[in-house]
């Protein structure tokens, strides 16, 4: 199976400019290709991971990746299928984000070894020195307004309004392709399906300005079985930065994907072979309640993004929280596992009696309710049931001298911090 056939089998090819020509190129030569990443935040997220891992697959097959971080285009903003114009960021902010994104990409692509080692580029390197007049004369003349307005990404914004800044974005991305082709003989661009209009602007510019043929592959925008999209603009971002989304949170995300998505995501987000995935699918379908596909998916992706040690920690937190073994976890591990639960900062003058603390921290609604909770065995202190109404919290209840975990009922966790 060729690498192109494998990409199709994994569901990673949404559109291509000329599939027959592209397939032939993959079979006959080493292709130099690029994927662009605009620094619109200080981290990439799972929505970017599809293109990143597709680049990695192509590099492993012997082709040469160029990772373009948009230090220039990040200052402008891509209008593609956005309801409103992005807020412009300062140059200093974008420069900082560029550095962080470059660091993240280096975890997935090999920038050090072999003839096809990856190359990092920043489009500010050419846009920063080109004059406005030169750009209009040498690039703008190859694009008609009718052509630019025909792009679906622009059409959707015409009614609500689009600035010239964002309207011109497609020309900038097209020029990126031209520059990379001229400097490095890059002949293929990979990106999300929402980028089709911007990407074909590059192939059109190469044809008109340099009489060259280039190719585009778009990967699908990933949605779950309900149609919900991965991406920060959707309010459900899972970031690649461990400080923004912990390995435990990422592990839980994959562990909880729907059965209908699990095998499909194994093909897209892991490097298990298609034969291995077929074996997993057979076992998974025989006993879906065991969630084998989700467990393997979570293991593979967390290990890929954060490393084996982070995966083992996420697994430990998951297992120990499920078992209620709070004391077996460190404060750092508990902060990961309980990051979204209600927290109360204990004050020095608080009454440390358990009933008083349950009310003060908002765990129980009243003293009467708190006493009932304790007497009925509904309160667990660091995983152990507490039924003494006169119990006072002490230093021995502090995990790593930082926090205390209280559980009310089977699943309601609360954290006291000091």
């Amino acid at each position: 199976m060729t690498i192109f056939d494998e990409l199709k089998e994994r569901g990673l090819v949404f559109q291509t400019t000329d599939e027959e020509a592209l397939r032939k190129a993959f079979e006959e030569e080493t292709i130099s290709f690029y994927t662009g990443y605009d620094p619109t935040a200080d981290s990439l997220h799972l929505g970017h991971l599809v293109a990143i891992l597709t680049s990695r697959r192509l590099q492993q097959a012997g082709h040469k990746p160029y990772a373009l971080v948009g230090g220039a285009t990040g200052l402008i903003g891509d209008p593609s299928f956005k309801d409103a114009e992005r807020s412009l960021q300062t140059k200093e902010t974008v420069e900082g984000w560029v550095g962080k994104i470059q660091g993240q990409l280096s975890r997935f692509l090999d920038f050090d070894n072999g003839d096809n080692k990856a190359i990092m580029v920043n489009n500010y390197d050419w846009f920063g020195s080109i004059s406005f007049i030169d750009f209009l004369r040498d690039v703008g003349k190859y694009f008609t307004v009718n052509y630019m307005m025909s792009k679906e990404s622009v059409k959707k914004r015409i009614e609500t309004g689009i600035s010239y800044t964002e309207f011109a974005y497609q020309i900038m991305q097209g020029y990126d392709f031209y520059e990379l082709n001229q400097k490095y003989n890059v002949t293929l661009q990979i990106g999300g399906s929402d980028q089709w209009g911007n990407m074909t602007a590059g192939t059109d510019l190469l044809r008109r300005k340099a009489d060259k043929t280039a190719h585009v592959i778009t990967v699908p925008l990933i949605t779950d079985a309900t149609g919900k999209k991965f991406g920060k603009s959707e309010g459900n971002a899972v970031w690649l930065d461990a400080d923004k989304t912990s390995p435990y949170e990422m592990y839980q995300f994959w562990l909880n994907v729907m059965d209908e998505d699990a095998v499909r995501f194994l093909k897209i987000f892991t490097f298990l072979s298609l034969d291995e995935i077929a074996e997993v699918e057979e076992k998974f379908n025989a006993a879906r309640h065991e969630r084998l596909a989700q467990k393997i998916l979570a293991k593979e992706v967390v290990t890929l993004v954060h490393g084996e040690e982070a995966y083992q920690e996420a697994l430990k937190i998951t297992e120990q929280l499920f078992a209620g073994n709070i004391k077996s976890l460190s404060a750092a591990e508990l902060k990961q596992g309980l990051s979204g639960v209600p927290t109360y900062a204990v004050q020095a003058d608080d009454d440390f009696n358990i009933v008083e603390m349950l009310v003060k921290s908002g765990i129980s609604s009243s003293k009467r309710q708190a006493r009932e909770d304790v007497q009925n065995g509904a309160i667990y202190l660091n995983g152990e049931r507490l039924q003494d109404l006169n119990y006072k919290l002490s230093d021995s209840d502090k995990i790593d001298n930082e926090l205390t975990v209280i559980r009310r009922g089977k699943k309601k966790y609360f954290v006291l911090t000091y």
Side-chain angles (χ1 to χ4, degrees):
M1 181 183 294
T2 67
I3 182 59
F4 187 77
D5 289 330
E6 181 177 344
L7 293 181
K8 293 199 73 173
E9 185 69 21
R10 288 181 179 272
L12 288 169
V13 178
F14 185 77
Q15 290 169 297
T16 64
T17 41
D18 186 335
E19 182 171 325
E20 184 177 346
L22 187 55
R23 186 185 296 275
K24 183 178 179 182
F26 272 123
E27 293 172 355
E28 296 180 354
E29 60 187 277
T30 297
I31 292 178
S32 292
F33 66 95
Y34 94 96
T35 303
Y37 308 91
D38 270 355
T40 57
D42 59 357
S43 174
L44 299 173
H45 53 76
L46 285 189
H48 296 106
L49 199 55
V50 185
I52 295 172
L53 298 185
T54 301
S55 296
R56 178 172 170 143
R57 295 180 202 280
L58 289 177
Q59 184 179 31
Q60 290 180 344
H63 304 286
K64 187 174 180 66
Y66 288 79
L68 184 148
V69 181
T73 43
L75 292 167
I76 300 304
D78 180 5
S80 296
F81 303 100
K82 301 296 180 186
D83 294 329
E85 190 155 342
R86 295 179 186 271
S87 299
L88 295 180
Q89 303 295 331
T90 66
K91 287 185 178 180
E92 292 75 21
T93 297
V94 171
E95 285 174 2
W97 290 351
V98 165
K100 290 189 175 183
I101 289 172
Q102 287 176 333
Q104 289 181 342
L105 291 172
S106 65
R107 304 206 304 257
F108 301 99
L109 300 174
D110 186 349
F111 287 87
D112 301 314
N113 304 295
D115 293 337
N116 71 326
K117 65 182 179 182
I119 303 294
M120 192 83 68
V121 292
N122 183 340
N123 61 13
Y124 194 82
D125 291 343
W126 48 84
F127 279 117
S129 58
I130 192 171
S131 75
F132 183 64
I133 292 175
D134 288 341
F135 187 70
L136 288 179
R137 284 175 56 87
D138 298 338
V139 182
K141 67 179 180 180
Y142 291 99
F143 293 87
T144 67
V145 172
N146 290 343
Y147 170 86
M148 295 173 68
M149 290 183 66
S150 71
K151 302 292 185 181
E152 289 298 321
S153 58
V154 172
K155 278 183 180 179
K156 297 191 69 162
R157 285 281 299 280
I158 292 297
E159 291 183 8
T160 58
I162 183 172
S163 70
Y164 176 75
T165 303
E166 287 196 346
F167 183 59
Y169 182 94
Q170 61 181 280
I171 303 181
M172 295 181 70
Q173 186 167 328
Y175 188 66
D176 284 342
F177 205 165
Y178 176 84
E179 275 286 321
L180 292 175
N181 176 269
Q182 297 299 293
K183 291 181 178 179
Y184 306 111
N185 195 35
V186 170
T187 57
L188 169 66
Q189 182 181 178
I190 294 171
S193 59
D194 62 337
Q195 291 294 303
W196 176 260
N198 294 334
M199 294 163 73
T200 52
T203 58
D204 289 341
L205 179 62
L206 274 166
R207 187 184 71 253
R208 294 167 182 164
K209 185 173 173 63
D211 195 26
K212 289 187 175 182
T213 299
H215 305 285
V216 161
I217 293 177
T218 63
V219 296
L221 294 181
I222 305 302
T223 59
D224 63 22
T226 69
K228 189 176 182 181
K229 187 177 76 173
F230 291 171
K232 63 184 180 65
S233 60
E234 300 303 304
N236 64 323
V238 179
W239 301 94
L240 303 188
D241 185 333
D243 292 331
K244 294 171 75 71
T245 299
S246 71
Y248 168 79
E249 290 172 312
M250 180 176 284
Y251 181 82
Q252 290 298 312
F253 174 85
W254 294 113
L255 198 61
N256 288 292
V257 301
M258 290 181 286
D259 288 348
E260 294 80 4
D261 294 319
V263 173
R264 177 167 64 97
F265 288 168
L266 280 171
K267 293 178 181 179
I268 292 170
F269 291 102
T270 81
F271 285 81
L272 296 176
S273 70
L274 291 169
D275 288 340
E276 289 172 321
I277 293 172
E279 290 180 14
V280 172
E281 182 175 17
E282 185 176 351
K283 295 176 182 177
F284 172 61
N285 286 332
R288 287 198 170 191
H289 63 281
E290 295 181 1
R291 303 184 71 76
L292 176 65
Q294 286 94 335
K295 291 175 182 177
I296 293 175
L297 177 64
K299 175 185 177 181
E300 293 293 322
V301 181
V302 172
T303 301
L304 182 66
V305 175
H306 296 297
E308 174 68 21
E309 185 177 341
Y311 159 69
Q312 291 295 342
E313 183 178 52
L315 181 62
K316 175 187 174 183
I317 295 170
T318 300
E319 292 176 342
Q320 296 308 313
L321 281 180
F322 181 78
N325 297 329
I326 301 299
K327 289 184 177 180
S328 67
L329 298 171
S330 68
E333 289 169 335
L334 287 167
K335 286 176 182 177
Q336 280 198 59
L338 301 174
S339 63
V341 308
T343 299
Y344 174 72
V346 177
Q347 307 300 310
D349 59 351
D350 280 340
D351 188 330
F352 286 84
N353 170 268
I354 186 61
V355 172
E356 298 290 342
M357 187 57 70
L358 289 174
V359 177
K360 186 67 179 290
S361 61
I363 297 173
S364 299
S365 58
S366 65
K367 287 185 180 181
R368 177 183 175 183
Q369 183 65 56
R371 284 192 289 267
E372 288 182 3
D373 289 339
V374 173
Q375 290 175 323
N376 293 336
I379 298 299
Y380 293 78
L381 185 67
N382 292 334
E384 297 178 357
R385 179 174 279 156
L386 176 65
Q387 292 181 278
D388 181 359
L389 290 173
N390 297 315
Y391 188 87
K392 283 185 174 290
L393 297 177
S394 65
D395 287 347
S396 64
D397 296 314
K398 299 177 182 178
I399 295 176
D400 296 341
N401 208 39
E402 292 185 39
L403 54 84
T404 299
V405 178
I406 295 178
R407 191 179 93 220
R408 180 171 180 256
K410 291 184 178 181
K411 295 182 179 180
K412 292 183 179 180
Y413 280 98
F414 302 83
V415 174
L416 308 181
T417 62
Y418 302 92

